[in-house]
Amino acid sequence: MQRPITKLAIIFSLLFAFACSSSYKVWQRQVNKNVKNHLAMKPNLPTPPNTIWIDGNLFIDKTEVVNLSYLEYLHYMSEDSSYDHYQSQIPTTGAWMNRDIPFSDSVKLALSLGYLEYEGYRFLPVVGVSHEQAINYCKWRSEAVTQSFVSSRDTKYTFEYRLPTEKEWEKAALATIDTLNEENLKYGFNLASVPISSFNLSQKLNQNIEDSLAIPPTVYAYQNPTNLFGLHHTIGNVAEMITEKGIAKGGSWMHVPLQSTIKERIRYNYPTAWLGFRCVCEVKEKP
């Protein structure tokens, strides 16, 4: 029963050691400088919550959408929509029971019952969400954020959230990395400073995990390192849906590095425990 806890402790100690390493500090200084220089070019537009400006009037979430944010959506659906619609928006908890998930049945069941709502998992990426549910979340978020700005700050703009196109996602993941090094182009990171082992990716295909405690394979959405735009987990943690249904980007805890490069396309047919999403937002001035 203690083996998974020991394993988790080792992971955290490695992450701490990485965060304290000189190569990481060099990378983080580069990130901070790049973000500052990039944002200096941002047009005079309000920044939607938890986003980074990419280009023009387009912003993107700093992180994958987390359980807490999706639970907020479900709360409003329970208050403002029909019971049937509310039920239709609940993620598929059975996603953890899929045959491809490499855990024992008891661990799968525990995660199915507790992953979304357990207090300790609030800032883990939401999973088990369908493409249609992600689109509906974006529509609700557009209305909620626009109304928030109208109520408290500015009536001049609307905020239109949606899933990113593949081109938009790749641009955000690549950021402004040095394109002279082909290895950097694969993941959007300087691999001399940020080793692949720092991403939440699998070490091998079809791994057989026999943990006896239900410790999620996903990690804290705001965990470093970030890419040069300041975005977390563009590579790893969970793969991310785009506008094209059935296509995900960025790899996950279930995918090895070569499956998780910026250009790689990951196919999916149904909601699963390794699939999530982040939103882009177009900020538009009212006519």
Side-chain angles (χ1 to χ4, degrees):
M1 293 292 287
Q2 296 301 314
R3 184 170 56 83
I5 296 175
T6 301
K7 179 182 176 183
L8 192 64
I10 292 172
I11 291 173
F12 279 117
S13 66
L14 290 173
L15 289 172
F16 179 77
F18 166 68
C20 295
S21 68
S22 58
S23 61
Y24 173 75
K25 290 178 180 178
V26 169
W27 172 256
Q28 194 58 52
R29 285 196 295 270
Q30 187 179 355
V31 170
N32 294 341
K33 180 180 179 180
N34 190 81
V35 170
K36 182 179 180 179
N37 291 340
H38 174 67
L39 292 182
M41 299 184 290
K42 183 176 83 71
N44 187 25
L45 293 171
T47 300
N50 197 48
T51 66
I52 288 287
W53 174 67
I54 298 300
D55 190 22
N57 68 335
L58 188 69
F59 297 75
I60 191 168
D61 281 337
K62 293 179 182 178
T63 70
E64 296 146 343
V65 174
V66 297
N67 286 329
L68 180 62
S69 298
Y70 201 86
L71 285 169
E72 181 185 18
Y73 167 60
L74 291 178
H75 168 75
Y76 279 96
M77 290 302 98
S78 70
E79 295 288 326
D80 299 334
S81 65
S82 69
Y83 177 77
D84 287 344
H85 180 71
Y86 162 69
Q87 287 290 317
S88 73
Q89 299 310 295
I90 297 174
T92 303
T93 56
W96 289 102
M97 301 302 295
N98 290 347
R99 186 177 301 175
D100 61 338
I101 303 302
F103 292 101
S104 66
D105 288 344
S106 60
V107 168
K108 289 181 179 181
L109 179 60
L111 290 172
S112 294
L113 295 173
Y115 181 83
L116 176 64
E117 296 183 341
Y118 175 54
E119 185 176 340
Y121 300 163
R122 288 290 192 258
F123 291 95
L124 299 185
V126 67
V127 299
V129 175
S130 70
H131 193 262
E132 292 78 10
Q133 287 171 334
I135 290 173
N136 287 336
Y137 170 86
C138 290
K139 292 177 180 177
W140 166 80
R141 190 174 172 189
S142 300
E143 296 174 2
V145 172
T146 297
Q147 186 58 44
S148 174
F149 271 76
V150 166
S151 300
S152 62
R153 281 175 268 187
D154 206 320
T155 61
K156 291 175 57 179
Y157 301 95
T158 60
F159 300 81
E160 299 180 9
Y161 287 84
R162 56 177 172 79
L163 294 175
T165 65
E166 186 170 22
K167 184 177 180 180
E168 289 167 345
W169 187 94
E170 289 181 354
K171 181 174 184 177
L174 186 60
T176 55
I177 194 71
D178 175 17
T179 57
L180 296 178
N181 186 332
E182 290 187 6
E183 285 299 305
N184 293 348
L185 290 174
K186 287 183 179 179
Y187 304 101
F189 288 83
N190 179 351
L191 298 185
S193 299
V194 184
I196 289 296
S197 59
S198 65
F199 306 144
N200 186 21
L201 294 170
S202 177
Q203 297 302 307
K204 59 182 180 179
L205 287 169
N206 301 317
Q207 58 182 322
N208 181 25
I209 300 175
E210 299 177 349
D211 290 342
S212 56
L213 295 178
I215 299 173
T218 53
V219 296
Y220 180 58
Y222 290 89
Q223 181 175 296
N224 284 332
T226 64
N227 75 354
L228 288 175
F229 276 160
L231 304 179
H232 301 262
H233 297 297
T234 47
I235 302 298
N237 212 17
V238 292
E240 301 176 12
M241 289 181 267
I242 58 173
T243 51
E244 186 175 347
K245 186 176 182 180
I247 302 295
K249 304 288 287 187
S252 77
W253 60 269
M254 270 281 292
H255 298 94
V256 297
L258 289 180
Q259 294 176 295
S260 308
T261 63
I262 289 174
K263 290 295 182 181
E264 192 70 24
R265 289 176 140 206
I266 298 172
R267 306 282 176 172
Y268 68 91
N269 297 313
Y270 43 76
T272 185
W274 51 258
L275 181 65
F277 67 104
R278 80 174 74 212
C279 307
V280 293
C281 180
E282 292 185 81
V283 179
K284 297 182 178 180
E285 190 167 2
K286 292 180 180 178

